[in-house]
Amino acid sequence: MWFAGFSSTSNMETKQLARRVVMPGEKINALKNCADSSKIILGPGLRLEDEDICVAKSGILRFREPNVYWVDSHQTRYVPVKGETVIGIITQKVGDTFRVDIGGSEQASLSFLSFEGATKRNRPDVKVGDIVYCRLLVANKDMEPEVVCIDGQGRSSGMGVIRNGGFLVRTSLSLVRKILNADCVLMKCLGNKIPFEAAVGMNGRVWVKARSNKETIAVANAILASEYMTNEEIKNMCQRLADALDGF
Amino acid sequence: MQRSVLQQELDQNQEELQRAIDDEHWVRDLPQHLKRDDRYILQPSVTQCEHLVFGRLSFKGFNPDVEKLMKIHDHEEELLAACQREKEQSITEREMAKRYSALVGIISKKFTSKKRRSDAVKDEEDAEMTRAPKMFLKPEENS
């Protein structure tokens, strides 16, 4: 991606190390030598094999101050990770739980009690086919993932069933990461021109809703088109889009 | 007689064997814990690595609830950043304590001016003046 998730660093070695294309199976030995005192955080795509740090994904090695390393790769298949927020589609109701398609290898389970204000008496109004914005509570490679629509305090905090129309688009995981990066201007730019609402799931699903169908589609297309654009190009595109919507 | 001795020996052997097995059970049969492992933390989530923003967004008052949430998240981020900045720039508590412990005597001397000091002396004199001279007081006879 064009904006690297790292800022300037005094250590030239780490600077050269980051932004390099890496392949699965590669061993990164330079990491062992640098950052002598502090602990190193290994993000997705990096694995610890006995004493070596192994790359498990093909992509670009990224670095972020002070000591975070991960591999940035283009990917469309979602692998559930604990704590991430995703958009799921309710596919089935099994007893007291719902089966939710979150785009992973297996469907996730969602208890009817894990909605805000839900009790055994007061069941949430959820039907098959509904879209839910939820957080992964259990994500284990050996177990079925479990999602919830409440935070630790039992509040919804933006999660739950998404109703009243809108449009759900599928994107690559890297585009989702780009949209949610604080350095990316896409959402702010679009938001300045068009009033709209969006829910971005880490599983590559983006739900958007604007005042009219026309505007909704425009916003969705703008998001999909921005995958390989720079900040400048995104600004131009938003301007053109707003002009087109106004009928110039 | 001989039978009982044999029996005893057998029992003892059995007990020892059992103890050996128990001991083995209580020792974790793991390879030596590598020191290097402590240097790395595995963080499988990109959200944490890249510091991604909250995924629920609303603009120009389209969904006020979500906008409120966004504001809260932004505020939290700002607070975190401010805390970090302060930590880097400000004087540590230890440093402060060290400096103050050295300064406190000097400063207190500076603040107790001559007047104060004379006041303190006067107070002592007054106390002496008002105090009655020590003498034997004969108890009154009430009966």
Side-chain angles (χ1 to χ4, degrees):
Chain A
M1 236 180 294
W2 49 272
F3 54 82
F6 74 96
S7 50
S8 65
T9 165
S10 55
N11 199 337
M12 275 304 285
E13 204 175 350
T14 50
K15 210 171 186 179
Q16 281 167 357
L17 200 66
R19 272 188 140 169
R20 207 185 65 192
V21 174
V22 287
M23 299 294 274
E26 213 170 295
K27 288 195 172 94
I28 303 175
N29 292 318
L31 263 185
K32 279 195 244 171
N33 308 326
C34 64
D36 41 310
S37 60
S38 58
K39 285 189 175 184
I40 298 171
I41 297 172
L42 299 178
L46 294 176
R47 206 184 280 176
L48 210 58
E49 296 277 342
D50 293 332
E51 290 187 25
D52 303 308
I53 297 163
C54 250
V55 179
K57 265 184 199 174
S58 50
I60 301 165
L61 188 69
R62 297 281 188 210
F63 167 69
R64 188 190 175 88
E65 292 277 336
N67 49 9
V68 192
Y69 292 89
W70 75 96
V71 178
D72 201 0
S73 60
H74 184 277
Q75 187 176 330
T76 46
R77 164 64 70 189
Y78 180 62
V79 181
V81 175
K82 188 185 171 187
E84 287 190 345
T85 47
V86 293
I87 291 179
I89 300 163
I90 308 272
T91 55
Q92 204 182 347
K93 195 183 170 190
V94 189
D96 287 344
T97 57
F98 300 103
R99 313 280 292 157
V100 189
D101 168 33
I102 56 166
S105 60
E106 204 177 351
Q107 297 207 337
S109 68
L110 170 66
S111 167
F112 79 97
L113 285 173
S114 53
F115 286 88
E116 190 183 41
T119 55
K120 284 216 163 189
R121 282 268 180 85
N122 183 19
R123 284 175 178 254
D125 179 27
V126 183
K127 286 189 253 349
V128 171
D130 277 350
I131 297 170
V132 280
Y133 191 61
C134 46
R135 187 182 293 276
L136 275 152
L137 188 72
V138 175
N140 194 315
K141 63 178 176 184
D142 303 317
M143 271 158 59
E144 180 189 70
E146 188 184 341
V147 290
V148 288
C149 289
I150 44 172
D151 61 6
Q153 280 93 44
R155 286 188 302 251
S156 73
S157 68
M159 288 178 282
V161 182
I162 295 173
R163 287 207 178 78
N164 308 326
F167 189 36
L168 185 73
V169 284
R170 288 225 51 197
T171 69
S172 71
L173 301 190
S174 49
L175 176 57
V176 164
R177 289 205 293 270
K178 180 176 175 174
I179 292 171
L180 291 183
N181 198 305
D183 299 335
C184 184
V185 295
L186 174 70
M187 286 313 217
K188 279 168 227 156
C189 237
L190 276 175
N192 281 336
K193 313 280 189 221
I194 310 160
F196 75 100
E197 182 188 356
V200 185
M202 289 307 293
N203 56 347
R205 285 181 183 153
V206 183
W207 173 86
V208 283
K209 193 194 173 196
R211 284 174 303 191
S212 62
N213 287 346
K214 195 177 159 192
E215 283 186 359
T216 306
I217 292 166
V219 171
N221 282 342
I223 289 170
L224 287 174
S226 68
E227 182 155 13
Y228 303 112
M229 285 186 182
T230 62
N231 268 345
E232 277 308 308
E233 284 167 343
I234 286 171
K235 275 178 198 164
N236 287 336
M237 178 191 64
C238 290
Q239 188 57 51
R240 266 184 284 127
L241 187 81
D243 289 347
L245 281 173
D246 289 340
F248 285 116
Chain B
M1 190 67 187
Q2 205 175 8
R3 193 182 149 80
S4 86
V5 168
L6 264 175
Q7 187 69 33
Q8 229 170 5
E9 220 166 75
L10 208 71
D11 277 355
Q12 210 169 347
N13 281 347
Q14 194 80 30
E15 227 167 73
E16 268 169 26
L17 195 71
Q18 191 62 42
R19 200 176 301 144
I21 288 170
D22 277 353
D23 281 351
E24 260 174 31
H25 276 207
W26 285 105
V27 174
R28 294 173 78 194
D29 189 20
L30 292 170
Q32 276 288 316
H33 187 63
L34 295 166
K35 229 180 182 181
R36 194 177 296 281
D37 286 3
D38 298 335
R39 277 189 58 201
Y40 303 108
I41 303 165
L42 291 172
Q43 172 61 265
S45 172
V46 206
T47 320
Q48 299 291 321
C49 287
E50 262 188 86
H51 283 285
L52 298 180
V53 297
F54 185 57
R56 207 75 165 81
L57 308 153
S58 164
F59 298 96
K60 282 193 167 181
F62 195 86
N63 189 339
D65 294 340
V66 173
E67 257 170 54
K68 214 184 280 171
L69 271 174
M70 278 173 78
K71 215 171 254 177
I72 291 168
H73 276 274
D74 277 357
H75 191 63
E76 271 173 14
E77 287 278 302
E78 263 173 37
L79 267 180
L80 222 71
C83 268
Q84 196 71 29
R85 235 177 294 134
E86 210 156 86
K87 229 182 233 173
E88 277 168 15
Q89 290 172 352
S90 71
I91 299 153
T92 61
E93 282 170 354
R94 195 178 288 272
E95 216 174 315
M96 193 79 175
K98 202 175 163 190
R99 201 168 168 83
Y100 252 94
S101 63
L103 265 176
V104 97
I106 300 160
I107 289 176
S108 71
K109 212 180 267 178
K110 198 174 179 184
F111 276 95
T112 48
S113 57
K114 275 178 193 165
K115 195 186 159 202
R116 275 259 187 101
R117 261 177 258 163
S118 62
D119 273 357
V121 173
K122 213 188 273 175
D123 279 349
E124 263 173 41
E125 279 173 6
D126 285 353
E128 260 172 44
M129 289 277 273
T130 49
R131 210 179 292 150
K134 278 176 188 172
M135 57 191 293
F136 179 70
L137 294 170
K138 196 182 174 187
E140 279 175 29
E141 287 175 24
N142 288 337
S143 60

